[in-house]
Amino acid sequence: MDNENSTSSIRRQNQIAFRKVLTDSQTTFRWLSLALEPLVTDDREIIDTFLAVAKTHPKLIFQIIVADDHLLHFKRHRLIGLMQRLSSSFEVRRYHSPDNCPLTTAFAMSDSSAYVRPIATQWHCELVTEPAQLKSLETQFLEHWHMAERFNPFQRLNL
């Protein structure tokens, strides 16, 4: 029972950090993810936060890179429905590494904060607010963004 409570507590800490970064977003929310972080983000509160932020900042663009896009095809994540409804606000690309290096760190970032989580640790995230670290993450994201494969996960739905 303690292990279950501990896991629940750590999951909640990750959700709080992720939500903080999401609510800090005003122009661009950038997210490099293995598979949309379902253990953290497939949650009604997180989805409601995405919607609230999109409504508050109608010009905000959500740039998402996913390494494993199977959730997009099978619509198993709550975010997929919102992405379909607000498809003009979401730009989704498929992770590509020219040297086939696997994704080792997932992160989401706004202009003033970032949620960073090494893939291997599964749960242990860090909330980054230091400008130099944010600049480094932004550079890393943009490098991945330019290499990522463009695709429209909503193309079959004509959205």
Side-chain angles (χ1 to χ4, degrees):
M1 189 67 157
D2 284 340
N3 191 27
E4 187 176 315
N5 286 338
S6 176
T7 299
S8 178
S9 174
I10 292 171
R11 179 178 186 228
R12 188 76 181 141
Q13 290 170 2
N14 276 261
Q15 290 173 330
I16 290 167
F18 190 92
R19 194 178 308 98
K20 160 91 171 96
V21 172
L22 188 53
T23 57
D24 283 349
S25 301
Q26 295 181 6
T27 58
T28 306
F29 175 79
R30 294 182 168 128
W31 186 10
L32 177 61
S33 172
L34 183 60
L36 298 179
E37 311 294 324
L39 295 174
V40 175
T41 65
D42 193 7
D43 175 84
R44 176 53 40 207
E45 286 182 45
I46 296 286
I47 303 308
D48 289 347
T49 303
F50 267 101
L51 182 58
V53 169
K55 285 181 177 179
T56 303
H57 305 288
K59 295 185 187 230
L60 182 129
I61 298 296
F62 299 94
Q63 294 179 320
I64 302 172
I65 303 171
V66 292
D68 181 354
D69 64 354
H70 79 279
L71 288 173
L72 296 174
H73 296 295
F74 296 109
K75 300 174 191 78
R76 292 185 181 154
H77 194 294
R78 294 177 212 202
L79 183 57
I80 302 303
L82 183 63
M83 290 168 77
Q84 291 171 335
R85 285 179 37 214
L86 303 175
S87 60
S88 63
S89 296
F90 285 87
E91 297 176 8
V92 183
R93 295 189 181 186
R94 188 177 296 123
Y95 176 79
H96 174 73
S97 172
D99 52 3
N100 291 322
C101 286
L103 185 63
T104 58
T105 303
F107 63 87
M109 65 181 302
S110 69
D111 295 329
S112 60
S113 62
Y115 162 91
V116 180
R117 186 186 62 76
I119 300 290
T121 62
Q122 184 64 29
W123 285 111
H124 301 287
C125 75
E126 177 183 3
L127 186 60
V128 174
T129 58
E130 209 299 304
Q133 288 179 295
L134 291 172
K135 185 65 178 165
S136 175
L137 288 169
E138 179 183 33
T139 300
Q140 183 181 348
F141 181 89
L142 291 173
E143 288 172 1
H144 286 297
W145 184 254
H146 293 296
M147 288 188 295
E149 178 185 344
R150 294 174 190 234
F151 80 113
N152 182 355
F154 315 117
Q155 192 168 20
R156 290 177 283 159
L157 302 172
N158 295 322
L159 296 175

